[in-house]
Amino acid sequence: MKILLGMGGRDDGFEALEATLERAREAGDNLTVAVLETSSEDDVDAVAAAVRERIAENGVDATVRTVRGHPGSELASIAEDEGFDRIVLGGGQRSPLGKINLGEVAEFVLLNADVTVTLVR
Amino acid sequence: MTDRVYPDEPVGAFPRPPLSFTDGEGRAVEVRESGREDYEALVGMYEAFDPADRAQGIPPVAESAIREWLDNLLAMESLNVVATNEGEPVGHAILVPDDQGEYELAVFVLHEYQNAGIGTELLETLLGYGQERGVEKVWLSVERWNEPAIALYRKLGFETSDAESFELEMTIRLG
């Protein structure tokens, strides 16, 4: 399956990366990781470097690219234009009380993407 | 993370725990301070919690997850009150500090004790307890469709601070 993982520098993104790499190893997915310019203060290039390192450690073959601009719409466009089967996203941040808060990227992609979307918990 | 907007003016004084009242169904209910000593009783309450009344992923369903979650809520820096009927907890309200020194609020009432005024008393008493302990800024998030809850929070003095995401965020200034 051709999978597009969208992530910023937050923990839920990296958790989604681990789960997606695990699945890719078992299922032989064709995986692309899009590192997005999200509202968090993390530098896109630094996050991409961390992602490449994690992928190399994992020994899975995956492509990493950085995506500038509105993260949700860029992700949905890439998925549609390049024939991805599925978009994978982190399952949201937890508040101090443990409430799940879906981010703006997840909300936009769920409502606007034409492909299946998976949130990783 | 962007800074939350709070009302300029603090709200008036809320009642402080303990507080006794008769609920809308004629049951004797007490609201009192809570903490680690109520851990096992609260595990029992959340095991009995109706999964349909969950919101935004809490309370957790599995007992192990409930225990882990309560470990966090009953930590020293948090403020907890419980509502009890015949000695057993039927409701629980919490203020948990975030990394900005502000407090996130949540309230839970067992299904068979809802719509009897217990949530209102729990919230007022928790906010009074917060005032007693010098808490100034309190925020919460609530699902947009949950109009009864939003109306209650508004009545207590909460104002909408962020309406742009899935959940509505509301804030109150206690002091």
Side-chain angles (χ1 to χ4, degrees):
Chain A
M1 199 185 288
K2 200 174 164 189
I3 306 241
L4 179 63
L5 168 66
M7 61 181 286
R10 290 177 165 154
D11 289 349
D12 65 323
F14 278 95
E15 283 162 23
L17 174 66
E18 292 303 316
T20 309
L21 285 172
E22 187 65 29
R23 208 204 102 102
R25 192 214 304 276
E26 287 167 12
D29 292 323
N30 173 343
L31 174 61
T32 297
V33 180
V35 177
L36 308 165
E37 228 174 12
T38 59
S39 53
S40 73
E41 285 144 19
D42 305 294
D43 175 64
V44 174
D45 294 318
V47 174
V51 169
R52 285 197 182 91
E53 192 175 320
R54 195 62 206 99
I55 290 171
E57 284 166 10
N58 215 285
V60 172
D61 193 20
T63 308
V64 180
R65 60 207 243 189
T66 53
V67 175
R68 312 275 168 179
H70 186 267
S73 67
E74 291 297 329
L75 202 60
S77 301
I78 292 169
E80 283 156 36
D81 296 346
E82 302 180 23
F84 281 91
D85 300 302
R86 185 184 294 259
I87 294 174
V88 178
L89 297 168
Q93 298 285 306
R94 292 264 180 184
S95 75
L97 253 160
K99 286 187 174 181
I100 295 168
N101 298 307
L102 279 186
E104 56 186 320
V105 178
E107 177 172 354
F108 186 94
V109 171
L110 282 167
L111 296 176
N112 294 293
D114 263 353
V115 301
T116 303
V117 180
T118 299
L119 297 181
V120 177
R121 288 266 189 266
Chain B
M1 135 142 259
T2 49
D3 290 337
R4 284 191 187 84
V5 179
Y6 284 85
D8 292 334
E9 292 298 317
V11 287
F14 283 106
R16 294 171 183 196
L19 185 94
S20 296
F21 64 101
T22 302
D23 81 355
E25 300 290 329
R27 295 171 292 215
V29 176
E30 189 198 355
V31 178
R32 59 169 174 79
E33 289 174 28
S34 175
R36 200 72 211 171
E37 65 280 8
D38 291 320
Y39 183 79
E40 291 301 330
L42 285 168
V43 170
M45 181 189 121
Y46 284 110
E47 281 186 304
F49 204 79
D50 186 341
D53 289 336
R54 298 170 76 211
Q56 295 157 269
I58 57 173
V61 174
E63 189 197 326
S64 58
I66 291 172
R67 286 184 177 275
E68 195 180 321
W69 179 67
L70 280 174
D71 271 334
N72 177 38
L73 298 195
L74 298 176
M76 291 292 289
E77 323 79 65
S78 301
L79 299 182
N80 290 262
V81 296
V82 290
T84 60
N85 173 226
E86 295 173 351
E88 293 298 317
V90 299
H92 179 206
I94 316 109
L95 289 173
V96 175
D98 63 20
D99 52 14
Q100 326 257 319
E102 300 166 10
Y103 286 73
E104 184 184 11
L105 176 147
V107 59
F108 301 92
V109 177
L110 283 181
H111 197 80
E112 55 271 37
Y113 288 86
Q114 291 176 8
N115 305 313
I118 295 175
T120 304
E121 301 284 353
L122 264 173
L123 284 167
E124 289 186 347
T125 313
L126 178 68
L127 294 173
Y129 185 25
Q131 287 174 324
E132 188 177 280
R133 294 300 178 95
V135 171
E136 293 185 353
K137 292 176 172 177
V138 174
W139 61 276
L140 61 86
S141 66
V142 57
E143 287 159 328
R144 292 169 171 284
W145 48 263
N146 194 348
E147 286 170 20
I150 294 167
L152 170 56
Y153 293 134
R154 219 166 253 146
K155 207 174 97 189
L156 292 168
F158 281 88
E159 294 179 12
T160 299
S161 55
D162 181 1
E164 287 178 11
S165 54
F166 265 177
E167 295 88 18
L168 201 66
E169 189 181 89
M170 304 180 84
T171 58
I172 194 170
R173 187 182 294 275
L174 293 183

